[in-house]
Amino acid sequence: MADTFTLTNNNTGETVDLQLHEGTTGPSAIEISTLYKEKGLLAYDPGFVSTASCQSAITYIDGEAGILRYRGYPIEQLAANSNFLEVAHLLINGELPTTSELIKFEEIISHHTMIKESMRNFFHGFHYNAHPMSIMIGVVGSLSSFYHDSLDIHDPRHREISAHRLIAKMPTIAAACYKHSVSEPIMYPQNNLDYCGNFLHMMFSTPCEPYIPNKTAIDAMNLLFILHADHEQNASTSTVRLAGSSGANPFACIASGIASLWGPAHGGANEAVLTMLEEIGDVSNIDKYIAKAKDKNDPFRLMGFGHRVYRNFDPRATIIRKMCHQVLSNLADNNNPMFELAMKLEEVALNDEYFIERKLYPNVDYYSGIIYRALNIPTNMFTVMFAIARTVGWVAHWSEMIADPMQRIGRPRQLYVGATERDYVSIDKRK
Ligand code: SDX
């Protein structure tokens, strides 16, 4: 008999046995799916702090130990040895590719980077100052209007080609958002360039002169994309899963993930960190802003700090912080005031009782924006960068969910706290 967990109602002595599920690593889970049918009770967990929404074999996080593994491989090893497309293959297929598999995968992605010619017109319908994330939501969602040949989500081949198209076209669409904002021609991808080099080409080259992507920038982008590729059931990935559970097509699901990622409490934080650092302006203002972050009556929060799962440190922040030094020394003037300010702010916060007590440490978004800034990526494109990378995680989770024979539409319940039954009152009798 599988292990069970017994719940007891202390008022009535009534008990219910719930099945305990063991994973390969990490916390066990109590199955409550029969609780309502058997006992008319619901589990209550706003924000899903203690809720496992699914089983998954893709990414493992241990928040206490600061562990992050993609398909069992520690993020530190992938950051040191891999590149983004190899990690994409790992996350989607479950294994690191052989040399021939990687060459084939890179070729497939490379040959899906172009967008349909008519799609290039979509960007001109947006105002020049539209936030690029608003354009991404619209244009990525509209991909489903071009690919009727691959919308049968129960066909593994359709799922695979949709995943390839999404991974391949995100940089092209992202760069087109930027080009539209600066009224420059939207550049075509170059199949002879690697994934990150091609993105930099589409962002910064013009038809007027040759452009050679900078090697340091390519390496930095590969690393940032690896670190942002997946993160188990975060808000945007859970959004993609819930949208996908209704049978919506993959392009619509990824558009919903982009929408969720945009929030400043999630992927929008990297843009918010730079805005915050610019607002703080100088180390002499740090104490004032630390006080604001601690003041319950002040909505200000220290952007780039805190995490629902990591309660000691975000391993990605540790890796990014180190890389920040290298990029700034290679690409920008060494005493980058923004970086100095970020380091000083981190030092002050990490020695403040409020942050220590609440285990608030820099997260993945705290330093990434500083590096993107050094790569001349504009601030309003930072979350777009996050979306390019996280598309790999989103499509991996979407495919895993659709392929799961236990999969059913996600439909949470609620604790109702509204008005009890009452009769309609005609308008002439209302006060
Ligand atoms: C990402 O889920 C993922 O994995 C996300 C992500 C991924 O890869 O997908 O890792 C990417 O989204 C990273 C997080 C980026 N967001 C930010 O940097 C925004 C600032 N951080 C906060 O908004 C907050 O820390 C969250 C949203 C990240 C976590 O929110 P929780 O877990 O709901 O924590 P909470 O709001 O309940 O805070 C607990 C306490 C509260 O104080 P008390 O009520 O206990 O007195 O900590 C305080 C909060 O007020 N707090 C902060 C704070 N974060 C939490 N106080 C000041 N500054 C902050 N940043």
Side-chain angles (χ1 to χ4, degrees):
M1 165 82 169
D3 285 352
T4 58
F5 196 92
T6 302
L7 281 184
T8 304
N9 180 330
N10 291 328
N11 295 332
T12 63
E14 189 185 7
T15 63
V16 58
D17 291 336
L18 300 169
Q19 190 174 352
L20 211 51
H21 293 278
E22 302 281 339
T24 49
T25 324
S28 305
I30 300 171
E31 176 162 356
I32 56 163
S33 58
T34 57
L35 196 57
Y36 182 67
K37 195 167 67 179
E38 286 180 17
K39 298 293 175 185
L41 289 172
L42 299 173
Y44 183 57
D45 183 13
F48 307 122
V49 178
S50 303
T51 293
S53 61
C54 62
Q55 290 189 13
S56 179
I58 299 172
T59 291
Y60 173 70
I61 300 171
D62 178 328
E64 298 309 320
I67 289 173
L68 169 57
R69 297 184 195 132
Y70 292 164
R71 300 284 188 180
Y73 294 96
I75 193 68
E76 293 79 6
Q77 294 183 26
L78 292 170
N81 303 298
S82 189
N83 66 57
F84 180 60
L85 281 191
E86 182 177 77
V87 165
H89 184 284
L90 170 67
L91 284 167
I92 292 168
N93 299 302
E95 297 298 337
L96 287 168
T98 59
T99 305
S100 59
E101 287 169 336
L102 183 56
I103 291 169
K104 183 167 173 249
F105 185 68
E106 287 171 340
E107 204 170 278
I108 289 170
I109 296 298
S110 197
H111 287 84
H112 279 293
T113 49
M114 266 212 307
I115 55 176
K116 296 288 186 190
E117 197 61 11
S118 56
M119 178 173 262
R120 292 163 61 89
N121 302 323
F122 290 17
F123 298 90
H124 304 302
F126 289 92
H127 205 41
Y128 74 93
N129 64 354
H131 194 289
M133 284 296 276
S134 63
I135 303 175
M136 292 294 290
I137 294 167
V139 175
V140 171
S142 73
L143 283 168
S144 45
S145 64
F146 291 91
Y147 298 111
H148 304 292
D149 66 333
S150 61
L151 293 182
D152 174 1
I153 61 171
H154 298 294
D155 179 334
R157 177 58 191 134
H158 284 198
R159 291 203 298 273
E160 183 184 47
I161 192 167
S162 296
H164 293 163
R165 280 173 168 150
L166 280 157
I167 293 167
K169 296 180 196 306
M170 283 296 277
T172 310
I173 295 167
C177 292
Y178 170 66
K179 285 300 198 186
H180 175 64
S181 74
V182 293
S183 300
E184 286 184 6
I186 294 173
M187 300 304 289
Y188 288 95
Q190 294 298 312
N191 292 350
N192 64 315
L193 294 174
D194 64 44
Y195 191 84
C196 294
N198 211 354
F199 173 67
L200 290 166
H201 150 71
M202 292 187 280
M203 280 287 287
F204 299 119
S205 75
T206 68
C208 315
E209 58 187 20
Y211 171 86
I212 312 288
N214 176 294
K215 172 90 173 58
T216 302
I218 290 172
D219 293 346
M221 200 155 285
N222 253 307
L223 179 58
L224 286 166
F225 282 174
I226 288 171
L227 297 176
H228 286 81
D230 192 49
H231 215 237
E232 63 143 79
Q233 306 308 323
N234 58 85
S236 54
T237 300
S238 298
T239 301
V240 170
R241 279 180 172 260
L242 196 56
S245 73
S246 74
N249 73 70
F251 307 105
C253 295
I254 299 309
S256 73
I258 297 171
S260 172
L261 186 75
W262 195 2
H266 189 14
N270 55 17
E271 177 178 353
V273 166
L274 257 290
T275 306
M276 173 188 73
L277 291 173
E278 284 164 352
E279 186 184 335
I280 295 173
D282 182 83
V283 291
S284 60
N285 296 324
I286 285 178
D287 290 343
K288 182 177 96 179
Y289 279 88
I290 292 280
K292 279 169 66 68
K294 291 155 61 171
D295 178 359
K296 290 298 165 215
N297 300 316
D298 190 327
F300 176 81
R301 283 200 165 181
L302 218 47
M303 302 316 282
F305 268 76
H307 198 279
R308 172 62 59 75
V309 177
Y310 290 124
R311 309 315 284 181
N312 282 307
F313 65 96
D314 181 337
R316 302 167 298 177
T318 308
I319 297 167
I320 289 180
R321 188 170 186 271
K322 214 181 300 165
M323 191 254 288
C324 221
H325 277 292
Q326 295 158 16
V327 169
L328 291 172
S329 55
N330 294 1
L331 283 183
D333 47 44
N334 223 341
N335 62 340
N336 178 300
M338 199 65 83
F339 182 63
E340 304 303 326
L341 176 60
M343 292 240 288
K344 185 66 185 160
L345 178 60
E346 176 190 20
E347 180 197 328
V348 173
L350 293 187
N351 289 291
D352 184 290
E353 200 38 53
Y354 174 95
F355 292 88
I356 296 167
E357 193 187 306
R358 289 167 181 77
K359 298 180 177 290
L360 300 175
Y361 298 83
N363 57 48
V364 68
D365 293 306
Y366 189 62
Y367 283 101
S368 56
I370 295 168
I371 296 167
Y372 286 137
R373 170 69 63 83
L375 304 183
N376 294 316
I377 308 277
T379 307
N380 69 1
M381 284 287 290
F382 289 0
T383 310
V384 174
M385 304 298 287
F386 197 148
I388 292 172
R390 189 51 58 87
T391 293
V392 168
W394 290 334
V395 295
H397 282 274
W398 171 76
S399 299
E400 181 183 64
M401 176 191 69
I402 299 296
D404 179 349
M406 300 289 286
Q407 189 268 326
R408 54 197 302 204
I409 191 166
R411 206 284 186 206
R413 301 299 309 275
Q414 62 179 13
L415 179 68
Y416 180 69
V417 292
T420 51
E421 187 176 2
R422 52 183 172 166
D423 296 326
Y424 181 80
V425 178
S426 60
I427 194 161
D428 57 318
K429 292 191 175 58
R430 292 174 208 160
K431 296 180 183 59

